[in-house]
Amino acid sequence: MRISAGSVAAGAAAKMTLLEPASLWGSGGEVAASDRVRFAAIGTGTRGCELLQASLVVPGVECVAACDLYDSRHEAAQEAVQKEILTTRNYREILDRKDVDAVIVAVPDHQHRRVVVDACAAGKDVYCEKPMSHTVEDGFAMVDAVRKHNRILQVGSQRVSSIVYEKAREIYASGALGEVFFIEGSSDRNSASGAWVYPIPPDASEQTIDWKAFLEGAPQRAFDAARFFRWRCFSDYGEGLAGDLFVHLLSGIYFISGTNEAPQRAQSSGGLFRWKDGRDFPDLIETLFDFPRFRVVLRCNLNNAGGEPIKFHGTRGTMEINGQTLVFTPQDDGPKPEEYSLKGWPARLRKQYQAQWAAEHPQPGPLEYKAVQAETFTAPPGYSDVSAHEANFFNAVRSRKPTLENEEFGNHAAIGCHLANYAYFKNTIATWDADAKRIRG
């Protein structure tokens, strides 16, 4: 990673490295019955079923029950785990079970606090989908519950467990990037699905959905299947683009840079331009975050398929992550004689400067030159950071050691999302008051 002062950018071919995933806990051998973790899923919609499927390759775990307010998702959950398990609409029935050690919570954001607090009180460890909280107050209540009941909590933003992000963290910590003052990231989509306009199942009705339970913690209103299946569009239940997508970008940036604090302030701009379907949130938002060591610009756009790159701009190099690929490009930051401004000097002064510069900067020998070479790192085909993230959670359940993306980390990332939305909707600069635990603006 370290480039000498005598390096040259000679168009050297990029070096490609295939990253090697760490073995999931217990792989390659039998897992003792005493180490087996039995868990239940609370919320088995799209993400909940994804998490259940990812758990199948995690050794030493077993799903024994599932809960969802929509009856057909009970069937979907059993298909995801490939066996018959107990299913219910009432998550408290799951929390009462003695054979449940932990729960995966993948319910709408507005119910995170209630379910997580109840799970902690019931003595269950919790994997909670991102964003951790629906409001600032919810986040701190969840932190208090985890600590009061001495539980393990991990927030489900899987990039924190990715081998690609682990390599990026290593590069960042090595100093190869130099000083990093600016980081940018985006998450852009261009489809109805990407804008959460999900199809509504043909059997959706007040008979198959517990609408009353869905509204717990939200304003009362008549049954509306669109709100149930497209809840991310509505502020009563979700946090919009900031909570759904900014949180992934922020969590990745936190992990790589070793940051674990809320942004100091946020400024947002954007609008609702295309997906005018009654949603509350914009389909384009861009936010500038202030952190003590650097600035971060994030953008989400539902009107162009731009992918999800994160780019770190350092004084000695640039690092970009896009999907499962990381590219590190060092910059030749060695001393160089001035050329541009000397155009305004007479020839005699230019020659005098050049001679003095050459005397003060002797050229390295032929063997001392090193090419400025980009390096590419990628995960192997079939790699799943979701399974790795779940494995890290279940390892923590066994060891009782805190997860990296614990309640403090998750709360700080969620506060960043709340700041972005506050700044957008209030049309102001949102400032975080850490002492008062509130947003001001």
Side-chain angles (χ1 to χ4, degrees):
M1 293 298 175
R2 300 193 179 279
I3 310 299
S4 74
S7 61
V8 292
K15 177 183 176 183
M16 170 71 79
T17 300
L18 188 67
L19 297 171
E20 183 69 26
S23 297
L24 297 180
W25 189 92
S27 62
E30 293 295 324
V31 177
S34 59
D35 284 327
R36 194 164 190 79
V37 177
R38 291 171 175 81
F39 73 94
I42 301 177
T44 60
T46 303
R47 186 57 177 167
C49 283
E50 282 184 326
L51 294 171
L52 287 176
Q53 291 166 352
S55 74
L56 295 178
V57 300
V58 180
V61 303
E62 178 186 3
C63 180
V64 297
C67 168
D68 200 275
L69 301 180
Y70 169 42
D71 294 342
S72 288
R73 288 180 178 164
H74 300 171
E75 183 181 354
Q78 296 190 70
E79 291 174 352
V81 296
Q82 302 174 14
K83 66 175 185 177
E84 289 188 10
I85 55 175
L86 177 141
T87 58
T88 178
R89 285 183 173 186
N90 185 355
Y91 75 89
R92 292 181 176 87
E93 292 180 11
I94 283 177
L95 299 184
D96 289 339
R97 290 180 59 127
K98 302 302 182 184
D99 62 341
V100 172
D101 305 307
V103 292
I104 292 178
V105 177
V107 298
D109 301 346
H110 75 294
Q111 297 185 339
H112 282 189
R113 172 180 178 170
R114 176 166 50 86
V115 176
V116 169
V117 169
D118 286 350
C120 290
K124 314 302 182 186
D125 296 318
V126 181
Y127 180 113
C128 180
E129 259 305 304
K130 56 76 193 169
M132 180 173 138
S133 62
H134 187 228
T135 66
V136 168
E137 295 75 18
D138 285 358
F140 284 101
M142 294 163 74
V143 170
D144 290 344
V146 171
R147 295 177 177 175
K148 175 182 177 181
H149 298 287
N150 194 28
R151 306 321 307 163
I152 297 294
L153 181 137
Q154 176 166 283
V155 179
S157 196
Q158 66 274 3
R159 298 182 188 193
V160 171
S161 294
S162 166
I163 55 173
V164 177
Y165 281 72
E166 179 62 42
K167 172 54 69 173
R169 179 182 173 99
E170 177 186 321
I171 293 171
Y172 191 102
S174 75
L177 287 168
E179 295 183 276
V180 177
F181 303 120
F182 178 61
I183 304 168
E184 60 181 326
S186 59
S187 185
D188 296 344
R189 304 170 171 181
N190 192 12
S191 69
S193 180
W196 315 310
V197 186
Y198 301 141
I200 296 173
D203 70 342
S205 70
E206 289 188 82
Q207 287 67 50
T208 59
I209 294 171
D210 190 339
W211 180 248
K212 180 180 179 181
F214 174 75
L215 291 181
E216 192 168 345
Q220 296 299 304
R221 63 176 63 243
F223 177 77
D224 186 342
R227 282 181 169 261
F228 185 85
F229 292 99
R230 303 169 184 169
W231 58 265
R232 288 178 177 85
C233 297
F234 305 101
S235 58
D236 287 344
Y237 328 110
E239 283 291 284
L241 287 171
D244 196 49
L245 300 176
F246 274 9
V247 69
H248 278 310
L249 300 170
L250 283 172
S251 295
I253 290 168
Y254 279 21
F255 175 70
I256 291 167
S257 65
T259 299
N260 190 1
E261 59 188 325
Q264 295 171 316
R265 65 178 190 170
Q267 303 173 66
S268 295
S269 179
L272 180 59
F273 298 101
R274 177 185 179 190
W275 300 99
K276 298 179 180 180
D277 52 4
R279 68 182 60 205
D280 300 327
F281 291 107
D283 55 22
L284 168 64
I285 184 170
E286 186 170 44
T287 302
L288 168 63
F289 294 99
D290 289 1
F291 289 90
R293 292 183 293 153
F294 45 68
R295 299 294 179 263
V296 174
V297 171
L298 301 183
R299 183 193 72 237
C300 286
N301 180 16
L302 299 181
N303 308 301
N304 178 271
E308 296 184 337
I310 297 180
K311 200 168 187 178
F312 293 74
H313 300 266
T315 56
R316 299 183 60 206
T318 305
M319 181 171 66
E320 181 170 2
I321 306 171
N322 203 337
Q324 300 284 14
T325 300
L326 160 67
V327 178
F328 168 69
T329 307
Q331 296 182 359
D332 182 5
D333 63 343
K336 301 174 184 65
E338 172 65 14
E339 294 182 357
Y340 179 72
S341 68
L342 269 61
K343 293 178 180 179
W345 292 20
R348 60 183 177 82
L349 294 181
R350 286 201 302 271
K351 291 179 180 179
Q352 181 179 338
Y353 166 81
Q354 290 162 352
Q356 181 178 348
W357 194 94
E360 294 174 352
H361 302 86
Q363 291 297 299
L367 298 180
E368 295 177 293
Y369 278 97
K370 293 183 180 179
V372 175
Q373 183 183 37
E375 294 186 74
T376 298
F377 304 88
T378 187
Y383 171 73
S384 171
D385 52 7
V386 179
S387 295
H389 201 47
E390 289 191 37
N392 286 342
F393 167 67
F394 289 117
N395 289 345
V397 171
R398 295 185 185 95
S399 70
R400 311 313 298 169
K401 294 179 181 178
T403 62
L404 182 59
E405 195 174 8
N406 63 9
E407 66 279 2
E408 181 182 43
F409 184 117
N411 191 38
H412 286 154
I415 289 170
C417 304
H418 302 322
L419 283 165
N421 278 333
Y422 187 101
Y424 173 80
F425 286 108
K426 300 285 188 181
N427 193 27
T428 188
I429 297 175
T431 301
W432 176 242
D433 186 335
D435 293 332
K437 298 180 180 178
R438 58 171 294 186
I439 299 173
R440 300 189 185 276

